[in-house]
């Protein structure tokens, strides 16, 4: 078994070649001397067939973080899925040391998405190395730049490859393309329509600012269909707010202008995230029935029913819709508020996004709850408790079960896609394999070159995709830095 998981060792674009440089080595899951406190139902103590004899009081698995006046908060897992997540939150010191040595030897920076493998996230959160950032898509890019400027010799980007799509064309058109697309996709879009990238965290401001500076604009959003349709729902909600509240979001807009932009906001109809697709109507019904008092979160990529549920909760002050960072900040803020009140309370948060978010959430909540006993926080995963798979390991030798579907075969109807099989292709062995290769870069040149983004030599309309596809990213960086759409992009919109 390579690593604690019975899955292939791969970092982003690592492919099968990584196994040659990260030879399989058997590790037994060894819980560290506990800093987490008493934990109920660690996955290592469970057999895979336990799930068939287990009945939970609630339909969804959950993880509760409690405070103790004496130190770090303990964890209580409800359901097999939650139990299989817990074991990775407290990594063993030997694994931490191995990762640290490899990263230091290679002087390797690491930027990883919140949806990363739970084992890898647990280690990245605990290892003592300055060039590590786990964040959402936008922060990942900025962090990589900062790490390079700070002296990192190379950057390992732990994420996924993305879908491609094309754009339509009308007069005064702008394509707002999701950052989580390939460089080639961005190049193809830019070759067809003036294009700017966005993240789930800045897409609302991007669209509002674009319509502010180009009032007669038509915006094409893509390729994520759910996110695009959810944006239309969100803007409709905004259009019904009082003008003063709308101007607090953007000073140049009011009800009339938002209603007007809705008529010229087009959404690509053939793209989705396979993970967020699993949050369908049945999930919504279960949440409404069994968790009426819970605080609801939803990523912009979830289907409409789940988004509308969270959007309604957000309007009522008990929910959030947006990016992974928005969801994390909401949970932290509400936890802080409850602790400040000082009364006994148990907050329930429905996590309407990929379950990899549990690592940064638990770490953050533990910090907020430290030193008090009154407040507990329960994180609810709106998926089937059985969204796990057996590794073939015995309980004594390692993990008998792990969260999610087995390596990369896609989604399961039981809700396994709450853990993305593609994000989980990034593993500890894969990362260490890259770091080891970098310590002898001359010998491993071909392998390392195979890990670079697949952009070299590709052309779109006779221009290098690397050059053309970078333009939408630079337009976004200009907007994030200045708060304005660049003159270059505006001129491009009017001149095509």
């Amino acid at each position: 078994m390579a690593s604690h998981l019975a899955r292939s060792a791969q970092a982003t674009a690592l492919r099968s070649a990584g196994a040659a440089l990260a030879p399989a080595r058997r590790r037994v899951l060894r819980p560290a001397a506990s800093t987490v406190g008493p934990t109920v139902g660690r996955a290592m103590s469970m057999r895979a067939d336990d799930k068939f004899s287990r009945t939970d009081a609630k339909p969804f698995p959950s993880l509760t973080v409690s405070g103790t006046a004496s130190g770090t908060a303990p964890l209580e897992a409800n359901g097999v899925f939650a139990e299989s997540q817990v074991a990775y939150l407290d990594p063993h010191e030997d694994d931490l040391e191995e990762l640290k040595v490899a990263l230091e030897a290679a002087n390797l920076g690491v930027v990883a998405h919140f949806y990363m493998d739970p084992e890898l996230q647990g280690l990245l959160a605990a290892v003592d190395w300055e060039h590590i950032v786990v964040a959402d898509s936008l922060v990942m890019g900025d962090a990589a730049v900062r790490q390079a400027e700070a002296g990192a010799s190379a950057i390992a980007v732990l994420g996924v490859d993305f879908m491609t799509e094309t754009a339509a064309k009308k007069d005064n058109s702008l394509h707002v393309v999701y950052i989580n697309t390939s460089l080639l996709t961005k190049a193809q879009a830019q070759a067809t329509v003036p294009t700017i990238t966005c993240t789930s965290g800045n897409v609302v401001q991007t669209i509002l600012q674009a319509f502010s500076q180009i009032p007669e604009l038509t915006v094409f959003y893509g390729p994520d269909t759910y996110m695009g349709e959810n944006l239309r729902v969100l803007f409709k909600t905004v259009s019904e707010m009082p003008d003063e509240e709308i101007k607090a979001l953007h000073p140049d807009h009011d009800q009339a202008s938002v209603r007007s932009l809705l008529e010229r906001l087009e959404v690509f109809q053939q793209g989705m995230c396979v993970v967020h697709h699993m949050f369908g109507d049945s999930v919504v019904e279960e949440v409404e029935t069994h968790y009426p008092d819970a605080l609801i979160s939803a990523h912009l990529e979830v289907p409409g029913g789940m988004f509308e549920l969270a959007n309604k909760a957000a309007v009522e002050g008990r929910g959030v819709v947006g990016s992974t960072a928005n969801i994390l900040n909401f949970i932290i803020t509400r936890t802080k508020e409850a602790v400040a009140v000082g009364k006994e309370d148990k907050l329930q948060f429905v996590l309407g996004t990929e379950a990899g978010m549990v690592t940064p959430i638990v770490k953050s909540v533990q910090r907020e709850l430290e030193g008090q006993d009154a407040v507990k926080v329960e994180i609810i995963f709106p998926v089937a408790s059985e969204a796990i798979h057996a590794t073939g390991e015995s309980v004594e030798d390692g993990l008998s079960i792990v969260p999610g579907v087995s390596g990369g075969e896609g989604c399961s109807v039981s809700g396994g896609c709450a853990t993305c099989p593609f994000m989980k292709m990034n593993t500890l062995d894969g990362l260490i394999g890259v770091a080891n290769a970098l310590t002898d870069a001359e010998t491993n040149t071909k392998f390392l070159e195979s890990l670079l983004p697949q952009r070299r030599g590709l052309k779109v309309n006779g221009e290098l995709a690397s050059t053309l596809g970078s333009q939408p990213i630079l337009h976004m960086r200009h907007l994030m830095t200045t708060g304005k759409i660049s003159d270059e992009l505006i001129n491009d919109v009017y001149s095509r």
Side-chain angles (χ1 to χ4, degrees):
M1 169 177 150
S3 179
H4 297 320
L5 301 180
R7 286 180 257 178
S8 300
Q10 291 184 324
T12 294
L14 252 180
R15 306 180 188 90
S16 58
L21 287 163
R25 36 191 206 284
R26 188 173 189 78
R27 291 200 193 101
V28 176
L29 181 67
R30 301 154 297 193
S34 181
T35 58
V36 179
T39 303
V40 177
R42 275 191 181 275
M44 71 195 82
S45 67
M46 296 196 57
R47 300 185 183 277
D49 58 1
D50 281 353
K51 63 181 180 180
F52 297 112
S53 61
R54 189 178 179 88
T55 302
D56 296 322
K58 295 287 187 180
F60 295 136
S62 66
L63 186 60
T64 300
V65 186
S66 302
T68 63
S70 58
T72 308
L75 302 174
E76 181 177 352
N78 169 49
V80 180
F81 181 90
E83 288 161 347
S84 65
Q85 296 275 351
V86 168
Y88 295 125
L89 293 173
D90 191 17
H92 193 275
E93 60 184 13
D94 289 353
D95 292 336
L96 289 171
E97 181 63 20
E98 181 180 13
L99 179 58
K100 180 180 179 181
V101 168
L103 294 177
E104 286 182 342
N107 191 28
L108 179 64
V110 179
V111 292
H113 198 274
F114 282 134
Y115 295 165
M116 217 33 53
D117 180 275
E119 177 194 25
L120 190 51
Q121 277 210 58
L123 286 159
L124 292 175
V127 71
D128 182 19
W129 177 238
E130 60 180 323
H131 300 310
I132 292 177
V133 172
V134 181
D136 64 6
S137 303
L138 177 60
V139 175
M140 284 174 66
D142 292 337
V145 172
R146 290 195 300 271
Q147 288 177 3
E149 292 173 345
S153 300
I155 311 295
V157 181
L158 307 184
V160 296
D161 294 328
F162 299 105
M163 66 193 82
T164 61
E165 60 89 39
T166 56
K169 180 69 174 75
K170 292 183 179 180
D171 291 338
N172 299 328
S173 295
L174 176 67
H175 185 196
V176 179
V177 64
Y178 199 19
I179 190 70
N180 292 346
T181 51
S182 69
L183 195 64
L184 180 59
T185 295
K186 297 176 180 69
Q188 291 170 332
Q190 175 65 21
T192 307
V193 179
T195 301
I196 184 171
T197 57
C198 72
T199 71
S200 52
N202 67 20
V203 61
V204 171
Q205 285 300 317
T206 299
I207 292 174
L208 288 176
Q209 185 62 35
F211 276 105
S212 170
Q213 291 185 247
I214 314 173
E216 62 275 34
L217 187 66
T218 295
V219 165
F220 293 90
Y221 175 81
D224 193 280
T225 305
Y226 286 140
M227 187 167 164
E229 295 296 346
N230 291 340
L231 284 169
R232 291 186 59 82
V233 172
L234 185 60
F235 281 124
K236 185 176 186 304
T237 300
V238 170
S239 72
E240 296 168 353
M241 294 164 50
D243 282 345
E244 57 270 22
E245 292 184 18
I246 297 175
K247 289 187 178 297
L249 293 175
H250 195 288
D252 294 340
H253 284 284
D254 53 24
Q255 287 185 342
S257 67
V258 176
R259 284 195 295 267
S260 175
L261 75 81
L262 273 168
E263 297 173 359
R264 290 170 286 121
L265 176 59
E266 305 286 346
V267 176
F268 183 70
Q269 293 297 317
Q270 298 178 22
M272 68 173 184
C273 167
V274 295
V275 178
H276 292 104
H277 178 64
M278 299 300 287
F279 296 95
D281 291 341
S282 62
V283 169
V284 173
E285 292 172 4
E286 295 281 17
V287 170
E288 290 180 318
T289 300
H290 296 281
Y291 305 94
D293 298 323
L295 302 167
I296 312 296
S297 70
H299 194 274
L300 280 172
E301 294 178 46
V302 301
M306 186 67 188
F307 178 84
E308 290 176 8
L309 181 65
N311 189 45
K312 178 182 177 183
V315 171
E316 296 170 354
R318 56 181 190 87
V320 62
V321 293
S323 66
T324 50
N326 295 145
I327 292 171
L328 179 60
N329 291 336
F330 174 75
I331 293 173
I332 293 172
T333 299
R334 295 304 292 261
T335 301
K336 284 182 177 180
E337 292 172 352
V339 171
V341 171
K343 295 182 180 180
E344 187 171 324
D345 196 3
K346 182 177 181 179
L347 303 179
Q348 288 184 318
F349 294 94
V350 174
L351 186 63
T353 190
E354 213 270 2
M357 282 291 294
V358 70
T359 303
I361 289 172
V362 167
K363 297 293 183 183
S364 299
V365 168
Q366 284 180 321
R367 286 191 292 269
E368 300 304 327
L369 297 185
E370 189 172 357
Q372 61 85 54
D373 288 313
V375 178
K376 295 182 179 182
V377 172
E378 182 180 11
I379 308 300
I380 299 161
F381 306 96
V383 297
S385 181
E386 294 79 11
I388 51 89
H389 76 275
T391 65
E393 290 290 310
S394 68
V395 173
E396 293 75 19
D397 288 340
L399 284 182
S400 59
I401 57 174
V402 293
V405 293
S406 56
E409 79 272 24
C411 302
S412 72
V413 294
S414 65
C417 253
T419 55
C420 175
F422 308 108
M423 285 286 189
K424 270 49 177 184
M425 293 172 72
N426 300 270
T427 66
L428 175 60
D429 281 350
L431 179 57
I432 291 176
V434 171
N436 289 340
L438 284 166
T439 61
D440 189 6
E442 185 173 346
T443 301
N444 299 310
T445 299
K446 288 186 178 180
F447 167 69
L448 292 171
E449 286 184 350
S450 74
L451 308 183
L452 295 172
Q454 297 179 358
R455 64 178 186 271
R456 291 167 296 131
L458 294 176
K459 291 187 177 182
V460 175
N461 290 357
E463 190 170 353
L464 284 173
S466 57
T467 301
L468 199 59
S470 297
Q471 292 179 19
I473 301 173
L474 294 175
H475 290 321
M476 180 184 72
R477 291 195 176 280
H478 184 278
L479 174 63
M480 298 307 296
T481 301
T482 66
K484 299 287 185 181
I485 302 294
S486 67
D487 290 340
E488 178 186 359
L489 181 54
I490 293 175
N491 292 335
D492 194 12
V493 169
Y494 281 129
S495 61
R496 286 215 217 184

